[in-house]
Coordinates of all heavy atoms in Angstrom, one line a residue:
T529 N 113.0 91.2 144.7 CA 113.8 90.2 143.8 C 113.8 88.8 144.6 O 114.3 88.7 145.7 CB 115.1 90.5 143.5 OG1 115.1 91.9 142.8 CG2 115.8 89.6 142.5
I530 N 113.2 87.8 144.0 CA 113.2 86.5 144.5 C 114.0 85.6 143.7 O 113.9 85.5 142.5 CB 111.7 85.9 144.6 CG1 110.8 86.8 145.4 CG2 111.7 84.5 145.1 CD1 109.3 86.4 145.3
R531 N 115.0 84.9 144.5 CA 115.9 83.9 143.7 C 115.5 82.6 144.2 O 115.5 82.3 145.4 CB 117.3 84.2 144.0 CG 117.7 85.5 143.5 CD 119.2 85.8 143.8 NE 119.5 87.2 143.5 CZ 119.9 87.6 142.2 NH1 120.0 86.8 141.3 NH2 120.1 88.9 142.0
L532 N 115.3 81.7 143.3 CA 114.9 80.3 143.6 C 115.7 79.3 142.8 O 116.0 79.6 141.7 CB 113.4 80.0 143.4 CG 112.3 80.9 144.2 CD1 111.0 80.8 143.6 CD2 112.3 80.4 145.6
P533 N 115.9 78.1 143.5 CA 116.5 77.0 142.6 C 115.5 76.6 141.5 O 114.3 76.6 141.8 CB 116.8 76.0 143.7 CG 115.8 76.2 144.7 CD 115.6 77.7 144.9
L534 N 116.1 76.1 140.5 CA 115.2 75.7 139.4 C 114.4 74.4 139.8 O 113.3 74.1 139.3 CB 115.9 75.3 138.1 CG 116.6 76.6 137.4 CD1 117.4 76.1 136.2 CD2 115.5 77.6 137.0
T535 N 114.9 73.6 140.7 CA 114.2 72.4 141.1 C 114.4 72.2 142.6 O 115.5 72.6 143.2 CB 114.6 71.2 140.3 OG1 114.0 70.0 140.8 CG2 116.2 71.0 140.4
L536 N 113.6 71.5 143.2 CA 113.7 71.1 144.6 C 114.3 69.6 144.7 O 114.5 69.1 145.8 CB 112.4 71.1 145.4 CG 111.8 72.6 145.6 CD1 110.6 72.5 146.3 CD2 112.8 73.5 146.2
A537 N 114.5 69.0 143.6 CA 114.8 67.6 143.6 C 116.4 67.5 143.8 O 116.8 66.5 144.3 CB 114.4 67.0 142.3
I538 N 117.1 68.6 143.4 CA 118.6 68.5 143.5 C 119.0 69.8 144.3 O 118.5 70.8 144.1 CB 119.2 68.5 142.1 CG1 118.9 67.2 141.4 CG2 120.7 68.6 142.2 CD1 119.5 67.1 140.0
L539 N 119.9 69.5 145.2 CA 120.4 70.6 146.1 C 121.9 70.8 146.0 O 122.6 69.8 145.9 CB 120.0 70.2 147.5 CG 120.5 71.1 148.6 CD1 119.7 72.4 148.7 CD2 120.4 70.4 150.0
D540 N 122.4 72.1 145.9 CA 123.8 72.3 146.1 C 124.1 72.4 147.5 O 123.6 73.2 148.3 CB 124.1 73.7 145.4 CG 124.0 73.6 143.9 OD1 124.5 72.6 143.4 OD2 123.6 74.6 143.3
G541 N 124.9 71.5 148.0 CA 125.1 71.3 149.5 C 126.6 71.3 149.8 O 127.5 71.0 149.1
Q542 N 126.8 71.6 151.1 CA 128.1 71.5 151.8 C 128.1 70.3 152.7 O 127.2 70.2 153.6 CB 128.4 72.8 152.5 CG 129.7 72.7 153.4 CD 131.0 72.6 152.6 OE1 131.2 73.6 151.7 NE2 131.7 71.5 152.8
L543 N 129.0 69.3 152.5 CA 129.1 68.2 153.3 C 129.9 68.5 154.5 O 131.0 69.2 154.4 CB 129.7 67.0 152.6 CG 128.8 66.1 151.7 CD1 128.0 66.9 150.7 CD2 129.6 65.0 151.2
V544 N 129.4 68.2 155.7 CA 130.1 68.5 156.9 C 130.2 67.2 157.8 O 129.3 66.3 157.6 CB 129.5 69.6 157.8 CG1 129.4 70.8 157.0 CG2 128.1 69.2 158.2
R545 N 131.2 67.1 158.6 CA 131.4 65.9 159.4 C 131.2 66.3 160.9 O 131.7 67.3 161.3 CB 132.8 65.2 159.2 CG 133.0 63.9 160.0 CD 134.2 63.3 159.6 NE 135.4 64.2 160.1 CZ 135.9 64.2 161.3 NH1 135.3 63.5 162.3 NH2 136.9 65.0 161.7
I546 N 130.4 65.4 161.6 CA 130.2 65.6 162.9 C 130.4 64.3 163.6 O 129.6 63.4 163.5 CB 128.8 66.2 163.3 CG1 128.6 67.5 162.6 CG2 128.6 66.2 164.9 CD1 127.2 68.0 162.6
G547 N 131.6 64.0 164.2 CA 131.9 62.7 164.7 C 132.1 61.8 163.5 O 132.8 62.1 162.6
R548 N 131.4 60.7 163.5 CA 131.4 59.8 162.2 C 130.3 60.0 161.3 O 130.1 59.1 160.5 CB 131.6 58.3 162.7 CG 130.5 57.8 163.7 CD 130.7 56.5 164.1 NE 129.7 56.0 165.0 CZ 128.5 55.5 164.5 NH1 128.4 55.3 163.2 NH2 127.7 55.0 165.3
H549 N 129.5 61.0 161.5 CA 128.4 61.3 160.8 C 128.6 62.4 159.7 O 129.2 63.3 160.0 CB 127.1 61.6 161.7 CG 126.9 60.6 162.7 ND1 126.1 59.4 162.5 CD2 127.2 60.5 164.0 CE1 126.0 58.7 163.6 NE2 126.7 59.3 164.5
I550 N 128.0 62.1 158.5 CA 128.1 63.1 157.5 C 126.8 63.8 157.3 O 125.7 63.1 157.1 CB 128.6 62.5 156.1 CG1 129.8 61.7 156.4 CG2 128.7 63.6 155.1 CD1 131.0 62.5 156.7
Y551 N 126.7 65.1 157.3 CA 125.5 65.9 157.1 C 125.7 66.8 155.8 O 126.8 67.1 155.5 CB 125.1 66.7 158.3 CG 124.5 65.9 159.4 CD1 125.4 65.4 160.4 CD2 123.2 65.6 159.5 CE1 124.8 64.6 161.5 CE2 122.7 64.9 160.6 CZ 123.5 64.4 161.6 OH 123.0 63.6 162.6
V552 N 124.6 67.2 155.3 CA 124.6 68.2 154.2 C 123.9 69.5 154.7 O 122.7 69.4 155.2 CB 123.9 67.5 152.9 CG1 123.9 68.6 151.8 CG2 124.4 66.2 152.5
V553 N 124.6 70.6 154.4 CA 124.0 71.8 154.7 C 123.7 72.6 153.4 O 124.7 72.7 152.6 CB 124.8 72.7 155.6 CG1 124.2 74.2 155.9 CG2 125.2 72.1 156.9
P554 N 122.4 73.1 153.1 CA 122.3 73.8 151.8 C 123.2 75.0 151.6 O 123.4 75.8 152.6 CB 120.8 74.3 152.0 CG 120.2 73.3 152.9 CD 121.3 73.0 153.9
L555 N 123.9 75.0 150.5 CA 124.9 76.1 150.3 C 124.2 77.5 150.4 O 124.8 78.5 150.8 CB 125.5 76.0 148.9 CG 126.8 75.1 148.8 CD1 127.3 75.1 147.4 CD2 127.8 75.7 149.8
V556 N 122.9 77.6 150.0 CA 122.3 78.8 149.9 C 122.2 79.5 151.3 O 121.9 80.7 151.4 CB 120.9 78.7 149.2 CG1 119.9 77.9 150.1 CG2 120.3 80.1 148.8
S557 N 122.2 78.6 152.3 CA 122.0 79.1 153.7 C 123.3 79.5 154.4 O 123.3 80.1 155.4 CB 121.4 78.0 154.6 OG 120.1 77.5 154.1
I558 N 124.5 79.2 153.7 CA 125.7 79.5 154.4 C 126.3 80.9 154.0 O 126.4 81.2 152.8 CB 126.7 78.3 153.9 CG1 126.2 77.0 154.3 CG2 128.0 78.6 154.6 CD1 127.0 75.8 153.8
Y559 N 126.7 81.6 155.1 CA 127.3 82.9 154.8 C 128.9 82.7 154.8 O 129.5 83.1 153.9 CB 127.0 83.9 155.9 CG 125.6 84.5 156.0 CD1 124.8 84.1 156.9 CD2 125.2 85.3 155.0 CE1 123.5 84.6 156.9 CE2 124.0 85.9 155.0 CZ 123.1 85.5 156.0 OH 121.8 86.0 155.9
E560 N 129.3 82.0 155.8 CA 130.8 81.8 155.8 C 131.0 80.7 156.9 O 130.2 80.4 157.7 CB 131.5 83.1 156.2 CG 131.0 83.7 157.6 CD 131.7 85.0 157.8 OE1 132.9 85.1 157.7 OE2 130.9 86.0 158.1
S561 N 132.4 80.3 156.9 CA 132.8 79.3 158.0 C 134.1 79.7 158.5 O 134.9 80.3 157.8 CB 132.9 77.9 157.3 OG 131.7 77.4 156.8
L562 N 134.3 79.6 159.8 CA 135.5 80.1 160.4 C 135.8 79.4 161.6 O 135.0 78.6 162.4 CB 135.3 81.7 160.7 CG 134.3 82.1 161.8 CD1 134.7 83.4 162.3 CD2 133.0 82.1 161.2
Q563 N 137.1 79.5 162.0 CA 137.6 79.0 163.4 C 137.5 80.2 164.3 O 137.9 81.3 163.9 CB 139.0 78.4 163.3 CG 139.1 77.1 162.7 CD 140.5 76.6 162.6 OE1 141.4 77.2 162.3 NE2 140.6 75.3 163.0
V564 N 137.0 80.0 165.5 CA 136.8 81.1 166.4 C 137.8 81.1 167.6 O 137.9 80.0 168.2 CB 135.3 81.1 167.0 CG1 135.1 82.2 167.9 CG2 134.3 81.0 165.9
A565 N 138.5 82.2 167.7 CA 139.5 82.3 168.8 C 138.7 82.3 170.2 O 137.6 82.9 170.2 CB 140.3 83.6 168.7

Side-chain angles (χ1 to χ4, degrees):
T529 304
I530 300 171
R531 296 178 191 277
L532 293 166
L534 291 178
T535 177
L536 296 182
I538 294 179
L539 171 78
D540 287 321
Q542 170 69 58
L543 274 57
V544 299
R545 184 177 63 81
I546 303 167
R548 58 186 179 85
H549 303 277
I550 306 297
Y551 286 90
V552 179
V553 180
L555 268 182
V556 70
S557 301
I558 302 172
Y559 288 111
E560 58 185 311
S561 300
L562 66 158
Q563 285 184 313
V564 182

